Amino acid sequence: VMLIEVALSKHFNSDGNFSFTTAIHVDRRGYIQAINWKALQKLLKGTSWSIDLKVRLGDYIQVDSQLLEIKTQIQLSPGQIKKIRKSVIIGTDRTHSQDLRYGLQQLTDITLRALSPSTNDPTTAFEALNGIEAILLEWTKVNDKQFN
């Protein structure tokens, strides 16, 4: 879920033969703000793994909601599970760092308000549309990298 719907699953050295499946649940509530993929790769170094996210960046989650499912060739220790939870940043607000949907929603709101009869500000609407275009172009770059 790095950007919009991107990276709903990540695989590393995956041959599809996994012995263990671990469901990771969150221990607090809030918005999914970011995922530290480098920390996850470092933590799971030396083994094949597959991670399937059960949430998207920007989603609001409750305590005990399933965050992700990890398939590995080794049993994860409680310490590793704790570190995996910490690699997902959960906060009280949505952010723009990895959650492009949030920026897209805000720019759409700005565009619609700028075009309303009471405001009638086409320059602001045009600039907001430029921002939407930039987000969509960035999203396609990320998708191209993931699927090529």
Side-chain angles (χ1 to χ4, degrees), residues 24-82:
I24 307 294
H25 293 80
V26 295
D27 53 1
R28 58 196 180 282
R29 65 174 176 239
Y31 290 97
I32 305 292
Q33 293 180 336
I35 299 170
N36 186 342
W37 288 107
K38 287 183 182 181
L40 286 172
Q41 286 179 330
K42 185 177 179 183
L43 179 67
L44 298 170
K45 188 176 183 177
T47 186
S48 295
W49 53 267
S50 172
I51 296 177
D52 292 318
L53 292 174
K54 302 300 182 181
V55 296
R56 298 180 301 185
L57 288 169
D59 283 355
Y60 188 85
I61 55 169
Q62 299 292 336
V63 174
D64 292 328
S65 296
Q66 186 175 356
L67 181 62
L68 50 89
E69 180 179 89
I70 300 181
K71 295 178 182 179
T72 58
Q73 294 174 333
I74 58 168
Q75 180 72 45
L76 297 175
S77 70
Q80 287 174 308
I81 292 171
K82 185 176 180 178

Coordinates of all heavy atoms in Angstrom, one line a residue, residues 24-82:
I24 N -0.9 -10.6 11.7 CA -0.5 -9.5 12.6 C -1.7 -8.6 12.8 O -2.2 -8.1 11.9 CB 0.7 -8.7 11.9 CG1 1.8 -9.7 11.5 CG2 1.2 -7.6 12.9 CD1 2.5 -10.4 12.6
H25 N -2.0 -8.4 14.1 CA -3.1 -7.5 14.4 C -2.5 -6.3 15.1 O -1.5 -6.3 15.7 CB -4.1 -8.2 15.4 CG -4.8 -9.4 14.7 ND1 -4.2 -10.6 14.5 CD2 -6.0 -9.4 14.2 CE1 -5.1 -11.4 13.9 NE2 -6.2 -10.7 13.7
V26 N -3.2 -5.2 15.0 CA -2.7 -3.9 15.6 C -3.1 -3.9 17.0 O -4.0 -4.5 17.5 CB -3.3 -2.7 14.8 CG1 -2.8 -2.6 13.4 CG2 -4.8 -2.7 14.8
D27 N -2.3 -3.1 17.8 CA -2.5 -2.9 19.2 C -3.0 -1.5 19.6 O -3.0 -1.2 20.7 CB -1.2 -3.3 20.0 CG 0.0 -2.5 19.5 OD1 -0.1 -1.7 18.6 OD2 1.1 -2.7 20.0
R28 N -3.3 -0.8 18.6 CA -3.8 0.6 18.8 C -4.7 1.0 17.6 O -4.7 0.3 16.6 CB -2.7 1.6 19.0 CG -1.8 1.7 17.8 CD -0.5 2.4 18.2 NE 0.5 2.5 17.1 CZ 1.3 1.5 16.7 NH1 1.2 0.3 17.2 NH2 2.1 1.8 15.7
R29 N -5.5 2.0 17.8 CA -6.4 2.5 16.8 C -5.8 3.8 16.1 O -5.1 4.5 16.8 CB -7.8 2.7 17.3 CG -7.9 3.8 18.2 CD -9.4 4.0 18.6 NE -9.4 5.0 19.6 CZ -10.0 4.9 20.8 NH1 -10.5 3.7 21.1 NH2 -10.0 5.8 21.7
G30 N -6.2 4.0 14.9 CA -5.8 5.2 14.2 C -5.7 5.0 12.7 O -6.2 4.0 12.2
Y31 N -5.1 6.0 12.1 CA -4.9 5.9 10.6 C -3.6 5.3 10.3 O -2.6 5.6 10.9 CB -5.0 7.3 10.0 CG -6.3 8.0 10.1 CD1 -6.6 8.9 11.1 CD2 -7.3 7.7 9.1 CE1 -7.9 9.5 11.1 CE2 -8.5 8.3 9.2 CZ -8.8 9.2 10.2 OH -10.1 9.8 10.2
I32 N -3.6 4.4 9.2 CA -2.4 3.9 8.7 C -1.7 5.0 8.0 O -2.2 5.5 7.0 CB -2.6 2.7 7.8 CG1 -3.5 1.6 8.4 CG2 -1.3 2.1 7.2 CD1 -2.8 0.9 9.6
Q33 N -0.5 5.5 8.5 CA 0.1 6.6 7.9 C 1.3 6.2 6.9 O 1.5 6.8 5.9 CB 0.7 7.5 9.0 CG -0.4 8.2 9.8 CD 0.2 9.1 10.9 OE1 1.3 8.9 11.3 NE2 -0.6 10.0 11.3
A34 N 2.0 5.1 7.3 CA 3.1 4.7 6.4 C 3.5 3.3 6.8 O 3.2 2.8 7.9 CB 4.3 5.7 6.6
I35 N 4.3 2.7 5.9 CA 4.8 1.4 6.1 C 6.3 1.4 5.8 O 6.7 1.9 4.7 CB 4.1 0.3 5.2 CG1 2.6 0.2 5.5 CG2 4.8 -1.1 5.4 CD1 1.9 -0.6 4.6
N36 N 7.1 1.0 6.8 CA 8.6 1.0 6.6 C 9.0 -0.3 6.0 O 9.3 -1.3 6.7 CB 9.2 1.2 7.9 CG 10.7 1.4 7.8 OD1 11.3 1.0 6.8 ND2 11.3 2.0 8.8
W37 N 8.9 -0.4 4.6 CA 9.2 -1.7 3.9 C 10.7 -2.1 4.2 O 11.0 -3.3 4.2 CB 8.9 -1.5 2.5 CG 7.5 -1.5 2.2 CD1 6.7 -0.4 1.8 CD2 6.6 -2.6 2.3 NE1 5.4 -0.8 1.7 CE2 5.3 -2.1 1.9 CE3 6.7 -3.9 2.6 CZ2 4.2 -2.9 1.9 CZ3 5.6 -4.8 2.6 CH2 4.3 -4.3 2.3
K38 N 11.6 -1.1 4.3 CA 13.0 -1.4 4.5 C 13.2 -2.1 5.8 O 14.0 -3.1 5.9 CB 13.9 -0.2 4.4 CG 14.0 0.3 3.0 CD 14.9 1.5 2.9 CE 15.0 2.0 1.5 NZ 15.9 3.2 1.3
A39 N 12.5 -1.7 6.8 CA 12.6 -2.3 8.1 C 12.1 -3.7 8.1 O 12.6 -4.7 8.7 CB 11.8 -1.5 9.2
L40 N 11.0 -3.9 7.3 CA 10.4 -5.3 7.2 C 11.4 -6.2 6.4 O 11.6 -7.3 6.9 CB 9.1 -5.3 6.4 CG 7.9 -4.7 7.2 CD1 6.7 -4.6 6.3 CD2 7.6 -5.7 8.4
Q41 N 12.0 -5.7 5.4 CA 13.0 -6.5 4.6 C 14.2 -6.9 5.5 O 14.7 -8.0 5.5 CB 13.4 -5.8 3.4 CG 12.4 -5.7 2.3 CD 12.9 -5.0 1.1 OE1 13.7 -4.1 1.2 NE2 12.3 -5.4 -0.1
K42 N 14.7 -5.9 6.3 CA 15.8 -6.2 7.2 C 15.4 -7.2 8.2 O 16.2 -8.1 8.5 CB 16.2 -4.9 7.9 CG 17.5 -5.0 8.7 CD 17.9 -3.6 9.2 CE 19.1 -3.7 10.1 NZ 19.5 -2.5 10.7
L43 N 14.2 -7.1 8.8 CA 13.8 -8.0 9.8 C 13.6 -9.4 9.3 O 14.0 -10.4 10.0 CB 12.4 -7.5 10.4 CG 11.8 -8.4 11.5 CD1 12.6 -8.3 12.7 CD2 10.4 -7.9 11.8
L44 N 13.2 -9.6 8.1 CA 12.9 -10.9 7.5 C 14.1 -11.4 6.6 O 13.9 -12.4 5.9 CB 11.6 -10.9 6.7 CG 10.4 -10.5 7.6 CD1 9.2 -10.3 6.7 CD2 10.1 -11.6 8.6
K45 N 15.2 -10.7 6.7 CA 16.4 -11.1 5.9 C 16.8 -12.5 6.2 O 16.8 -13.0 7.3 CB 17.5 -10.1 6.2 CG 18.7 -10.3 5.3 CD 19.8 -9.2 5.6 CE 20.9 -9.3 4.6 NZ 21.9 -8.3 4.8
G46 N 17.2 -13.2 5.1 CA 17.6 -14.6 5.2 C 16.6 -15.6 5.1 O 16.9 -16.8 5.2
T47 N 15.3 -15.2 4.8 CA 14.3 -16.2 4.6 C 13.4 -15.7 3.5 O 13.3 -14.5 3.2 CB 13.4 -16.4 5.9 OG1 12.5 -17.5 5.6 CG2 12.7 -15.2 6.3
S48 N 12.7 -16.6 2.8 CA 11.7 -16.2 1.9 C 10.4 -15.8 2.6 O 10.1 -16.3 3.7 CB 11.3 -17.4 0.9 OG 12.4 -17.7 0.1
W49 N 9.7 -14.8 2.1 CA 8.5 -14.3 2.8 C 7.6 -13.7 1.8 O 7.9 -13.3 0.7 CB 8.8 -13.3 3.9 CG 9.7 -12.2 3.5 CD1 11.1 -12.1 3.6 CD2 9.3 -10.9 3.0 NE1 11.6 -10.9 3.2 CE2 10.5 -10.1 2.8 CE3 8.1 -10.3 2.7 CZ2 10.5 -8.9 2.3 CZ3 8.1 -9.0 2.2 CH2 9.2 -8.3 2.0
S50 N 6.3 -13.6 2.2 CA 5.3 -12.9 1.4 C 4.4 -12.2 2.4 O 4.0 -12.7 3.5 CB 4.4 -14.0 0.7 OG 3.3 -13.4 0.1
I51 N 4.1 -10.9 2.1 CA 3.3 -10.1 3.0 C 2.0 -9.7 2.2 O 2.1 -9.1 1.2 CB 4.0 -8.9 3.5 CG1 5.2 -9.3 4.4 CG2 3.0 -8.0 4.3 CD1 6.0 -8.1 4.9
D52 N 0.9 -10.0 2.8 CA -0.4 -9.5 2.2 C -1.0 -8.5 3.2 O -1.4 -8.9 4.3 CB -1.3 -10.7 2.0 CG -0.8 -11.6 0.9 OD1 -0.3 -11.1 -0.2 OD2 -0.9 -12.8 1.0
L53 N -1.1 -7.3 2.7 CA -1.7 -6.2 3.6 C -3.2 -6.4 3.6 O -3.8 -6.7 2.5 CB -1.4 -4.9 3.0 CG 0.1 -4.4 3.2 CD1 0.3 -3.1 2.5 CD2 0.5 -4.3 4.6
K54 N -3.8 -6.2 4.7 CA -5.3 -6.4 4.8 C -5.9 -5.0 5.0 O -7.2 -4.9 5.1 CB -5.6 -7.2 6.1 CG -5.0 -8.6 6.0 CD -5.5 -9.4 4.8 CE -4.9 -10.8 4.8 NZ -5.3 -11.6 3.7
V55 N -5.1 -3.9 4.9 CA -5.6 -2.6 5.0 C -4.9 -1.7 4.0 O -3.9 -2.2 3.4 CB -5.3 -2.0 6.4 CG1 -6.1 -2.7 7.5 CG2 -3.9 -2.0 6.8
R56 N -5.3 -0.5 3.8 CA -4.7 0.4 2.9 C -4.2 1.6 3.6 O -4.7 2.0 4.7 CB -5.6 0.9 1.8 CG -6.2 -0.2 0.9 CD -7.1 0.4 -0.1 NE -8.2 1.1 0.6 CZ -9.3 1.6 0.0 NH1 -9.4 1.5 -1.3 NH2 -10.2 2.2 0.7
L57 N -3.2 2.3 3.1 CA -2.7 3.5 3.7 C -3.9 4.5 3.8 O -4.6 4.6 2.8 CB -1.6 4.1 2.9 CG -0.2 3.4 3.0 CD1 0.7 3.9 2.0 CD2 0.3 3.6 4.4
G58 N -4.0 5.2 4.9 CA -5.1 6.1 5.1 C -6.4 5.5 5.7 O -7.3 6.2 6.2
D59 N -6.4 4.1 5.8 CA -7.5 3.5 6.5 C -7.5 3.8 8.0 O -6.4 3.8 8.6 CB -7.5 2.0 6.3 CG -8.0 1.6 4.9 OD1 -8.4 2.4 4.1 OD2 -7.9 0.3 4.6
Y60 N -8.7 3.9 8.6 CA -8.8 4.0 10.0 C -9.0 2.6 10.5 O -9.9 1.9 10.1 CB -9.9 4.9 10.4 CG -9.9 5.2 11.9 CD1 -9.1 6.2 12.4 CD2 -10.7 4.5 12.8 CE1 -9.1 6.5 13.8 CE2 -10.6 4.7 14.2 CZ -9.8 5.7 14.6 OH -9.8 6.0 16.0
I61 N -8.2 2.2 11.5 CA -8.3 0.8 12.0 C -8.6 0.9 13.5 O -8.2 1.8 14.2 CB -7.1 0.0 11.7 CG1 -5.8 0.7 12.2 CG2 -7.0 -0.3 10.2 CD1 -4.6 -0.2 12.1
Q62 N -9.2 -0.2 14.0 CA -9.5 -0.3 15.4 C -8.5 -1.3 16.1 O -7.8 -2.1 15.4 CB -10.9 -0.9 15.6 CG -12.0 0.0 15.1 CD -12.1 1.3 15.9 OE1 -11.7 1.4 17.1 NE2 -12.6 2.4 15.3
V63 N -8.4 -1.3 17.4 CA -7.5 -2.3 18.1 C -8.0 -3.7 17.7 O -9.2 -4.0 17.6 CB -7.7 -2.0 19.6 CG1 -6.9 -3.1 20.4 CG2 -7.2 -0.6 20.0
D64 N -7.0 -4.5 17.5 CA -7.2 -6.0 17.2 C -7.6 -6.2 15.7 O -7.9 -7.3 15.3 CB -8.2 -6.7 18.1 CG -7.6 -6.8 19.5 OD1 -6.4 -7.0 19.7 OD2 -8.4 -6.8 20.5
S65 N -7.6 -5.1 14.9 CA -7.9 -5.3 13.5 C -6.7 -6.0 12.9 O -5.6 -5.8 13.2 CB -8.1 -4.0 12.8 OG -9.2 -3.3 13.2
Q66 N -6.9 -6.9 11.9 CA -5.8 -7.6 11.2 C -5.2 -6.6 10.3 O -5.8 -6.0 9.4 CB -6.3 -8.8 10.4 CG -5.1 -9.5 9.9 CD -5.4 -10.8 9.2 OE1 -6.6 -11.3 9.2 NE2 -4.4 -11.5 8.6
L67 N -3.9 -6.4 10.4 CA -3.1 -5.5 9.7 C -2.5 -6.2 8.4 O -2.6 -5.7 7.3 CB -2.0 -5.0 10.5 CG -1.0 -3.9 10.0 CD1 -1.7 -2.7 9.6 CD2 0.1 -3.6 11.0
L68 N -1.9 -7.3 8.6 CA -1.3 -8.0 7.5 C -1.1 -9.5 7.9 O -1.3 -9.9 9.0 CB 0.1 -7.4 7.1 CG 1.1 -7.1 8.2 CD1 2.0 -8.3 8.4 CD2 1.9 -5.9 7.8
E69 N -0.8 -10.2 6.8 CA -0.5 -11.7 7.0 C 0.8 -11.9 6.4 O 1.1 -11.5 5.2 CB -1.6 -12.5 6.3 CG -1.5 -13.9 6.4 CD -2.6 -14.7 5.7 OE1 -2.5 -14.9 4.5 OE2 -3.6 -14.9 6.4
I70 N 1.7 -12.6 7.1 CA 3.0 -12.9 6.7 C 3.2 -14.4 6.5 O 2.9 -15.1 7.5 CB 4.1 -12.4 7.6 CG1 4.0 -10.9 7.8 CG2 5.5 -12.8 7.2 CD1 5.0 -10.3 8.7
K71 N 3.6 -14.8 5.4 CA 4.0 -16.2 5.1 C 5.5 -16.3 5.1 O 6.1 -15.5 4.4 CB 3.3 -16.7 3.8 CG 1.8 -16.7 3.9 CD 1.2 -17.1 2.6 CE -0.3 -17.0 2.7 NZ -1.0 -17.4 1.5
T72 N 6.0 -17.2 5.9 CA 7.5 -17.4 6.0 C 7.8 -18.8 6.0 O 7.0 -19.7 6.2 CB 8.0 -16.7 7.2 OG1 7.4 -17.3 8.4 CG2 7.8 -15.2 7.2
Q73 N 9.1 -19.1 5.9 CA 9.7 -20.4 6.1 C 10.1 -20.7 7.5 O 10.4 -21.8 7.8 CB 10.8 -20.7 5.1 CG 10.4 -20.6 3.7 CD 11.6 -20.7 2.8 OE1 12.7 -20.3 3.1 NE2 11.4 -21.2 1.5
I74 N 10.1 -19.7 8.3 CA 10.4 -19.8 9.8 C 9.3 -19.3 10.6 O 8.5 -18.5 10.2 CB 11.7 -19.1 10.1 CG1 11.6 -17.6 9.8 CG2 12.9 -19.7 9.4 CD1 12.6 -16.7 10.3
Q75 N 9.2 -19.8 11.8 CA 8.2 -19.3 12.8 C 8.7 -18.0 13.3 O 9.9 -17.8 13.7 CB 8.1 -20.3 14.0 CG 7.1 -19.9 15.0 CD 5.7 -20.0 14.5 OE1 5.3 -21.0 13.9 NE2 4.9 -19.0 14.8
L76 N 7.8 -17.0 13.3 CA 8.2 -15.6 13.8 C 8.1 -15.6 15.3 O 7.2 -16.2 15.9 CB 7.3 -14.6 13.2 CG 7.3 -14.4 11.7 CD1 6.2 -13.4 11.3 CD2 8.7 -13.9 11.3
S77 N 9.1 -15.0 15.9 CA 9.1 -14.9 17.4 C 8.2 -13.7 17.8 O 7.9 -12.8 17.0 CB 10.6 -14.6 17.9 OG 11.0 -13.3 17.5
P78 N 7.8 -13.7 19.1 CA 7.1 -12.5 19.6 C 7.8 -11.2 19.4 O 7.2 -10.2 19.1 CB 6.9 -12.9 21.1 CG 6.9 -14.4 21.1 CD 8.0 -14.7 20.1
G79 N 9.1 -11.2 19.5 CA 9.9 -10.0 19.3 C 9.8 -9.5 17.9 O 9.7 -8.3 17.6
Q80 N 9.9 -10.5 16.9 CA 9.8 -10.1 15.5 C 8.4 -9.6 15.2 O 8.3 -8.6 14.5 CB 10.1 -11.3 14.6 CG 11.5 -11.7 14.6 CD 11.7 -13.0 13.8 OE1 11.1 -14.0 14.1 NE2 12.6 -13.0 12.8
I81 N 7.4 -10.2 15.8 CA 6.0 -9.7 15.5 C 5.9 -8.3 16.1 O 5.2 -7.4 15.4 CB 5.0 -10.7 16.2 CG1 5.0 -12.0 15.4 CG2 3.6 -10.0 16.2 CD1 4.2 -13.1 16.1
K82 N 6.4 -8.0 17.2 CA 6.4 -6.6 17.8 C 7.1 -5.7 16.8 O 6.6 -4.6 16.6 CB 7.1 -6.6 19.2 CG 7.0 -5.3 19.9 CD 7.6 -5.4 21.3 CE 7.4 -4.1 22.0 NZ 8.0 -4.1 23.4

